[in-house]
Protein backbone atom coordinates (compact mmCIF):
# COMPACT_ATOMS: atom_id res chain seq x y z
CA UNK A 1 0.00 0.00 0.00
CA UNK A 2 1.53 3.36 -1.04
CA UNK A 3 1.42 6.65 0.86
CA UNK A 4 -1.42 8.04 -1.29
CA UNK A 5 -3.55 4.99 -0.43
CA UNK A 6 -2.85 5.46 3.27
CA UNK A 7 -3.87 9.12 2.95
CA UNK A 8 -7.33 8.02 1.81
CA UNK A 9 -7.72 6.22 5.14
CA UNK A 10 -6.59 9.36 6.97
CA UNK A 11 -9.19 11.38 5.05
CA UNK A 12 -11.85 8.81 5.96
CA UNK A 13 -11.02 8.89 9.65
CA UNK A 14 -10.82 12.69 9.85
CA UNK A 15 -14.02 13.13 7.83
CA UNK A 16 -16.01 10.59 9.88
CA UNK A 17 -14.83 12.16 13.13
CA UNK A 18 -15.61 15.68 11.93
CA UNK A 19 -19.10 14.74 10.72
CA UNK A 20 -19.78 12.98 14.03
CA UNK A 21 -18.70 16.07 15.97
CA UNK A 22 -20.97 18.42 14.03
CA UNK A 23 -23.89 15.96 14.02
CA UNK A 24 -23.88 15.99 17.82
CA UNK A 25 -24.47 19.74 17.75
CA UNK A 26 -23.37 22.38 20.21
CA UNK A 27 -20.28 24.56 20.36
CA UNK A 28 -18.06 21.67 21.49
CA UNK A 29 -18.97 19.68 18.38
CA UNK A 30 -18.19 22.62 16.10
CA UNK A 31 -14.86 23.25 17.85
CA UNK A 32 -13.96 19.58 17.42
CA UNK A 33 -14.63 19.74 13.67
CA UNK A 34 -12.69 22.99 13.38
CA UNK A 35 -9.74 21.40 15.22
CA UNK A 36 -9.71 18.56 12.68
CA UNK A 37 -9.73 21.02 9.79
CA UNK A 38 -6.95 23.00 11.46
CA UNK A 39 -4.81 19.85 11.66
CA UNK A 40 -5.42 19.20 7.97
CA UNK A 41 -4.49 22.81 7.23
CA UNK A 42 -1.27 22.49 9.21
CA UNK A 43 -0.39 19.34 7.29
CA UNK A 44 -1.10 21.18 4.05
CA UNK A 45 1.57 23.74 4.98
CA UNK A 46 4.00 21.03 6.08
CA UNK A 47 3.91 18.87 2.95
CA UNK A 48 2.61 21.30 0.35
CA UNK A 49 -0.55 19.50 -0.77
CA UNK A 50 -3.92 21.21 -0.77
CA UNK A 51 -5.76 17.88 -1.04
CA UNK A 52 -5.89 17.39 2.74
CA UNK A 53 -8.02 20.48 3.34
CA UNK A 54 -9.98 19.84 0.14
CA UNK A 55 -10.97 16.25 0.97
CA UNK A 56 -11.69 16.65 4.66
CA UNK A 57 -13.20 20.15 4.50
CA UNK A 58 -15.74 19.28 1.80
CA UNK A 59 -16.51 15.92 3.41
CA UNK A 60 -17.19 17.41 6.85
CA UNK A 61 -19.45 20.18 5.55
CA UNK A 62 -21.44 17.95 3.18
CA UNK A 63 -21.68 15.04 5.61
CA UNK A 64 -22.75 17.20 8.54
CA UNK A 65 -25.40 18.84 6.39
CA UNK A 66 -26.80 15.44 5.36
CA UNK A 67 -26.72 14.36 9.00
CA UNK A 68 -29.03 17.26 9.85
CA UNK A 69 -26.58 19.90 11.06
CA UNK A 70 -27.50 23.47 10.22
CA UNK A 71 -24.70 25.45 8.64
CA UNK A 72 -23.98 28.48 10.80
CA UNK A 73 -22.46 31.74 9.61
CA UNK A 74 -19.61 31.61 12.14
CA UNK A 75 -18.71 28.08 11.04
CA UNK A 76 -18.54 29.18 7.41
CA UNK A 77 -16.26 32.04 8.40
CA UNK A 78 -13.90 29.66 10.18
CA UNK A 79 -13.88 27.28 7.20
CA UNK A 80 -13.10 30.20 4.89
CA UNK A 81 -10.08 31.06 7.05
CA UNK A 82 -8.95 27.44 7.06
CA UNK A 83 -9.18 27.39 3.25
CA UNK A 84 -6.31 29.90 3.06
CA UNK A 85 -3.74 27.07 2.91
CA UNK A 86 -5.29 25.95 -0.38
CA UNK A 87 -4.57 29.31 -2.00
CA UNK A 88 -1.14 29.61 -0.39
CA UNK A 89 -0.11 26.17 -1.60
CA UNK A 90 -1.42 27.01 -5.07
CA UNK A 91 0.89 30.03 -5.17
CA UNK A 92 3.91 27.95 -4.22
CA UNK A 93 3.46 24.96 -6.49
CA UNK A 94 7.15 24.89 -7.46
CA UNK A 95 8.25 24.61 -3.81
CA UNK A 96 5.80 22.00 -2.54
CA UNK A 97 7.02 20.06 0.46
CA UNK A 98 10.19 22.17 0.91
CA UNK A 99 9.04 23.83 4.12
CA UNK A 100 6.94 26.88 4.96
CA UNK A 101 9.88 29.31 4.80
CA UNK A 102 10.93 28.19 1.32
CA UNK A 103 7.33 28.25 0.08
CA UNK A 104 6.69 31.73 1.50
CA UNK A 105 9.91 33.04 -0.06
CA UNK A 106 8.91 31.70 -3.47
CA UNK A 107 5.42 33.25 -3.16
CA UNK A 108 6.93 36.64 -2.26
CA UNK A 109 9.43 36.58 -5.13
CA UNK A 110 7.51 34.90 -7.94
CA UNK A 111 3.77 35.39 -7.44
CA UNK A 112 2.15 37.92 -9.78
CA UNK A 113 -1.39 39.28 -10.01
CA UNK A 114 -2.67 36.30 -12.03
CA UNK A 115 -1.50 33.92 -9.31
CA UNK A 116 -4.10 35.35 -6.91
CA UNK A 117 -6.97 34.53 -9.28
CA UNK A 118 -8.76 31.47 -7.80
CA UNK A 119 -9.32 30.21 -11.34
CA UNK A 120 -5.54 29.82 -11.72
CA UNK A 121 -4.95 27.85 -8.51
CA UNK A 122 -5.53 24.49 -10.18
CA UNK A 123 -2.74 22.58 -11.90
CA UNK A 124 -2.47 23.00 -15.66
CA UNK A 125 -1.99 19.28 -16.35
CA UNK A 126 -5.64 18.31 -17.01
CA UNK A 127 -6.01 21.21 -19.44
CA UNK A 128 -2.73 20.46 -21.20
CA UNK A 129 -3.77 16.86 -21.85
CA UNK A 130 -7.12 17.98 -23.27
CA UNK A 131 -5.63 20.66 -25.54
CA UNK A 132 -2.89 18.33 -26.80
CA UNK A 133 -5.27 15.41 -27.40
CA UNK A 134 -7.88 17.46 -29.26
CA UNK A 135 -5.22 18.99 -31.49
CA UNK A 136 -3.23 15.83 -32.33
CA UNK A 137 -5.71 12.93 -32.22
CA UNK A 138 -6.89 11.78 -35.64
CA UNK A 139 -10.65 11.25 -35.56
CA UNK A 140 -11.94 8.61 -36.04
CA UNK A 141 -8.74 6.66 -36.86
CA UNK A 142 -7.13 7.04 -33.41
CA UNK A 143 -10.26 6.77 -31.26
CA UNK A 144 -10.13 4.04 -28.61
CA UNK A 145 -13.87 3.23 -28.67
CA UNK A 146 -14.13 2.42 -24.96
CA UNK A 147 -10.87 0.48 -24.65
CA UNK A 148 -9.54 2.59 -21.76
CA UNK A 149 -12.77 1.99 -19.81
CA UNK A 150 -12.70 -1.76 -20.41
CA UNK A 151 -9.16 -2.04 -19.00
CA UNK A 152 -10.15 -0.38 -15.69
CA UNK A 153 -10.38 -3.59 -13.65
CA UNK A 154 -7.00 -4.79 -14.92
CA UNK A 155 -5.39 -1.59 -13.58
CA UNK A 156 -6.59 -2.09 -9.99
CA UNK A 157 -3.90 -4.61 -8.87
CA UNK A 158 -0.48 -3.05 -8.07
CA UNK A 159 2.21 -3.66 -10.66
CA UNK A 160 4.15 -6.03 -8.38
CA UNK A 161 1.09 -8.32 -8.37
CA UNK A 162 0.41 -7.95 -12.10
CA UNK A 163 3.70 -7.05 -13.87
CA UNK A 164 2.13 -7.28 -17.31
CA UNK A 165 -0.88 -5.07 -16.63
CA UNK A 166 -1.87 -2.58 -19.37
CA UNK A 167 -0.41 0.92 -19.42
CA UNK A 168 -2.86 3.50 -18.00
CA UNK A 169 -4.06 6.15 -20.43
CA UNK A 170 -2.33 8.87 -18.37
CA UNK A 171 1.02 7.10 -18.63
CA UNK A 172 0.50 6.63 -22.36
CA UNK A 173 0.02 10.38 -22.73
CA UNK A 174 3.12 11.17 -20.65
CA UNK A 175 5.25 8.77 -22.71
CA UNK A 176 4.11 10.34 -25.97
CA UNK A 177 4.29 13.94 -24.76
CA UNK A 178 7.69 13.70 -23.02
CA UNK A 179 9.32 11.25 -25.42
CA UNK A 180 12.91 10.47 -24.38
CA UNK A 181 12.48 12.69 -21.30
CA UNK A 182 9.81 10.40 -19.85
CA UNK A 183 10.35 9.15 -16.28
CA UNK A 184 8.39 6.71 -14.11
CA UNK A 185 5.19 8.12 -12.59
CA UNK A 186 5.32 11.23 -14.76
CA UNK A 187 1.78 12.54 -14.87
CA UNK A 188 -0.20 15.43 -16.31
CA UNK A 189 -3.60 14.78 -14.72
CA UNK A 190 -5.18 13.00 -17.69
CA UNK A 191 -8.78 13.96 -16.92
CA UNK A 192 -12.05 12.15 -17.49
CA UNK A 193 -12.94 14.79 -20.10
CA UNK A 194 -9.80 13.93 -22.07
CA UNK A 195 -10.39 10.20 -21.64
CA UNK A 196 -13.93 10.56 -22.99
CA UNK A 197 -12.64 12.49 -26.02
CA UNK A 198 -9.87 9.94 -26.68
CA UNK A 199 -12.49 7.18 -26.73
CA UNK A 200 -15.43 8.76 -28.57
CA UNK A 201 -14.36 12.13 -29.96
CA UNK A 202 -16.55 15.20 -29.45
CA UNK A 203 -19.52 13.04 -28.46
CA UNK A 204 -17.50 11.45 -25.66
CA UNK A 205 -17.63 14.08 -22.87
CA UNK A 206 -21.41 14.73 -23.02
CA UNK A 207 -22.16 11.00 -23.35
CA UNK A 208 -19.90 9.95 -20.47
CA UNK A 209 -20.96 12.75 -18.14
CA UNK A 210 -24.65 12.07 -18.66
CA UNK A 211 -23.97 8.55 -17.41
CA UNK A 212 -21.82 9.84 -14.55
CA UNK A 213 -24.53 12.33 -13.60
CA UNK A 214 -27.18 9.62 -13.55
CA UNK A 215 -24.97 7.51 -11.29
CA UNK A 216 -24.31 10.31 -8.83
CA UNK A 217 -27.98 11.27 -8.95
CA UNK A 218 -28.97 7.75 -7.95
CA UNK A 219 -26.47 7.92 -5.05
CA UNK A 220 -27.89 11.27 -3.95
CA UNK A 221 -31.49 10.04 -4.07
CA UNK A 222 -30.67 6.82 -2.22
CA UNK A 223 -28.84 8.60 0.58
CA UNK A 224 -31.37 11.45 0.61
CA UNK A 225 -34.06 9.04 1.79
CA UNK A 226 -31.92 8.45 4.88
CA UNK A 227 -31.25 12.10 5.60
CA UNK A 228 -30.57 12.82 9.25
CA UNK A 229 -28.81 9.52 9.89
CA UNK A 230 -25.10 9.47 10.70
CA UNK A 231 -24.02 6.39 8.70
CA UNK A 232 -25.41 7.55 5.32
CA UNK A 233 -24.01 11.01 6.06
CA UNK A 234 -20.49 9.57 6.38
CA UNK A 235 -20.90 7.64 3.10
CA UNK A 236 -22.11 10.82 1.40
CA UNK A 237 -19.31 12.85 3.01
CA UNK A 238 -16.48 10.69 1.73
CA UNK A 239 -18.05 10.59 -1.75
CA UNK A 240 -18.47 14.38 -2.05
CA UNK A 241 -14.83 15.31 -2.80
CA UNK A 242 -14.59 12.52 -5.37
CA UNK A 243 -17.70 13.77 -7.15
CA UNK A 244 -15.75 16.96 -7.83
CA UNK A 245 -12.53 15.09 -8.63
CA UNK A 246 -14.29 13.02 -11.30
CA UNK A 247 -13.43 15.86 -13.68
CA UNK A 248 -9.71 15.43 -13.00
CA UNK A 249 -9.20 11.67 -13.12
CA UNK A 250 -9.69 8.94 -15.73
CA UNK A 251 -12.15 6.19 -14.81
CA UNK A 252 -9.42 3.86 -13.48
CA UNK A 253 -8.23 6.59 -11.10
CA UNK A 254 -11.74 7.17 -9.74
CA UNK A 255 -12.48 3.46 -9.37
CA UNK A 256 -9.23 2.84 -7.49
CA UNK A 257 -9.04 6.11 -5.54
CA UNK A 258 -12.67 6.27 -4.52
CA UNK A 259 -14.18 2.83 -5.04
CA UNK A 260 -11.32 0.70 -3.71
CA UNK A 261 -9.46 3.00 -1.32
CA UNK A 262 -12.34 5.10 0.04
CA UNK A 263 -15.77 3.50 -0.48
CA UNK A 264 -14.78 -0.01 0.67
CA UNK A 265 -13.15 1.21 3.93
CA UNK A 266 -16.10 3.60 4.52
CA UNK A 267 -18.64 0.80 4.21
CA UNK A 268 -16.47 -1.39 6.46
CA UNK A 269 -16.36 1.40 9.06
CA UNK A 270 -20.13 1.85 8.95
CA UNK A 271 -20.70 -1.89 9.22
CA UNK A 272 -18.34 -2.23 12.19
CA UNK A 273 -19.99 0.73 13.93
CA UNK A 274 -23.45 -0.77 13.46
CA UNK A 275 -22.27 -4.18 14.64
CA UNK A 276 -20.75 -2.65 17.74
CA UNK A 277 -23.87 -0.59 18.43
CA UNK A 278 -26.05 -3.69 18.01
CA UNK A 279 -23.85 -5.72 20.35
CA UNK A 280 -23.83 -3.04 23.04
CA UNK A 281 -27.61 -2.68 22.87
CA UNK A 282 -28.25 -6.32 23.71
Amino acid sequence: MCSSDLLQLVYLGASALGVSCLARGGRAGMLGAVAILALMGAHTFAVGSKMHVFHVGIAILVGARVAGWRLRAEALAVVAVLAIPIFFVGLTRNRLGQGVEEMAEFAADEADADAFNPANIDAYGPYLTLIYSTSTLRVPADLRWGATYLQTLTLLPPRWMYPGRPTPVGDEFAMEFLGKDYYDNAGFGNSSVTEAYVNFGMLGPPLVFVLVGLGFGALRDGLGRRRGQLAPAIVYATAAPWILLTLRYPLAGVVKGYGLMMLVPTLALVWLARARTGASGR
Side-chain angles (χ1 to χ4, degrees), residues 130-197:
L130 180 61
I131 292 170
Y132 183 85
S133 297
T134 53
S135 60
T136 61
L137 196 73
R138 296 175 301 166
V139 179
D142 294 338
L143 293 182
R144 305 292 290 275
W145 301 112
T148 69
Y149 298 115
L150 293 176
Q151 72 178 17
T152 296
L153 292 179
T154 65
L155 295 175
L156 293 181
R159 195 170 292 280
W160 61 268
M161 287 182 61
Y162 183 12
R165 75 177 188 180
T167 303
V169 64
D171 289 359
E172 288 182 4
F173 174 86
M175 290 175 183
E176 178 182 342
F177 187 76
L178 294 175
K180 61 183 178 61
D181 295 323
Y182 173 78
Y183 54 93
D184 285 343
N185 297 320
F188 291 90
N190 202 87
S191 70
S192 55
V193 180
T194 303
E195 183 178 28
Y197 179 83

Side-chain angles (χ1 to χ4, degrees), residues 65-67 216-229 232-233 236:
R65 181 65 176 164
V66 174
F216 283 140
L219 173 66
R220 177 203 60 198
D221 294 343
L223 293 174
R225 289 191 287 271
R226 296 168 177 82
R227 193 178 185 88
Q229 301 177 32
Y236 209 132

Side-chain angles (χ1 to χ4, degrees), residues 1 18 26 31 48 69 77 83 86 89 129 162 167 169 174 177 203 210 217 236 251 256 275:
M1 184 177 289
L31 289 176
W69 181 69
I86 294 180
V89 170
T129 58
Y162 183 12
T167 303
V169 64
F177 187 76
L203 292 178
V210 164
Y236 209 132
L251 179 63
K256 182 177 181 181

